Amino acid sequence: MFITFEGIEGCGKTTQVNKLKEYFESQGKDVLVTLEPGGSRLGKTLRKILLSMESQDLTKEAELFLYLADRAQHVEQVIRPALARGQIVISDRYADSTIVYQGYGRGLDPQTLHSFNEIATKDLWPDLTILLDLPVEIGLKRAVTRNIQKKLTKDEGRFEAESIKFHNRVREGYLTWAALNKNRFVIVDATGEIDEIFTQILNKVTSFEEKRVEGVSNQI
Ligand code: TMP
């Protein structure tokens, strides 16, 4: 099973990814947690370039192709092998981030980006995508505070430095894209407490798993 988490800066993805990992492990399941950008050896180098404040001169096309290179390497070297071993893979961001950030955010055509994603992933799509939704002002405040506390502003702060308008386009873009891909997206309200948010996630994951089991038994 392949699950991805998506959302704007500061939506709390990383915390919830780890909680879901712990939940699956408590059930005896084998889980691989990974991320984009940065899930492969090459990806770690690309992540530094992509998130650094020093890269503020990147063109949107150069940015796009670096994200796609990160993804191609990540899918081939990390995600597909883990799925083949029978692991549950949870990725903190994946192909939808490109559609939303480079598409709805930067103004590139989402359908063209979808075709590029098909090439980069050789058509590997998540079974379930959890979108953590919250107002931009709340998310950005959290993300900027975290970067300052962890002294990450220079190395990882390039997107946090974008305008509120950009981040609003990203949030709206996620909601639009999720509505177009209802078969695999679930939207979770990420404004509450960590445990409340996790309860919502668990409900969605459990009902997804139940539907999968039903689907399999209907085929027998
Ligand atoms: P994060 O690791 O804190 O989520 O940061 C990754 C940043 O990269 C985030 O601002 C979103 C951005 N991003 C894109 O613009 N396009 C992509 O395809 C991906 C995976 C991430």
Side-chain angles (χ1 to χ4, degrees), residues 9 13 47 51 67 71 93 97-98 101-102 159:
E9 330 301 315
K13 285 179 286 96
R47 182 178 177 94
L51 302 192
Y67 277 114
R71 182 158 310 125
R93 294 195 184 281
S97 283
T98 295
Y101 280 80
Q102 280 62 56
F159 279 87

Side-chain angles (χ1 to χ4, degrees), residues 1-2 30-34 74-90 124:
M1 180 157 54
F2 180 24
D30 191 2
V31 185
L32 177 86
V33 165
T34 184
H74 188 209
V75 168
E76 189 78 14
Q77 293 191 329
V78 179
I79 300 179
R80 280 191 192 275
L83 292 172
R85 286 192 296 269
Q87 287 182 293
I88 295 177
V89 176
I90 307 177
L124 178 70

Side-chain angles (χ1 to χ4, degrees), residues 45-137:
T45 305
L46 295 177
R47 182 178 177 94
K48 284 192 191 136
I49 298 169
L50 281 162
L51 302 192
S52 165
M53 287 292 241
E54 284 177 5
S55 302
Q56 277 178 322
D57 65 341
L58 271 189
T59 69
K60 55 187 169 192
E61 291 79 11
E63 177 184 88
L64 164 68
F65 286 109
L66 291 178
Y67 277 114
L68 291 169
D70 170 71
R71 182 158 310 125
Q73 204 70 11
H74 188 209
V75 168
E76 189 78 14
Q77 293 191 329
V78 179
I79 300 179
R80 280 191 192 275
L83 292 172
R85 286 192 296 269
Q87 287 182 293
I88 295 177
V89 176
I90 307 177
S91 187
D92 186 336
R93 294 195 184 281
Y94 188 62
D96 299 307
S97 283
T98 295
I99 304 281
V100 171
Y101 280 80
Q102 280 62 56
Y104 294 99
R106 299 269 192 241
L108 298 173
D109 172 40
Q111 282 311 324
T112 308
L113 299 182
H114 184 66
S115 306
F116 287 156
N117 269 330
E118 283 177 334
I119 298 173
T121 66
K122 296 194 188 126
D123 240 350
L124 178 70
W125 297 98
D127 299 299
L128 180 67
T129 298
I130 297 162
L131 170 58
L132 299 183
D133 179 57
L134 85 172
V136 162
E137 289 73 14

Side-chain angles (χ1 to χ4, degrees), residues 129-155:
T129 298
I130 297 162
L131 170 58
L132 299 183
D133 179 57
L134 85 172
V136 162
E137 289 73 14
I138 303 177
L140 268 185
K141 201 167 159 190
R142 281 190 199 162
V144 169
T145 310
R146 175 198 58 210
N147 282 351
I148 292 171
Q149 280 169 353
K150 296 191 174 172
K151 297 194 169 42
L152 285 173
T153 305
K154 186 165 162 283
D155 289 343

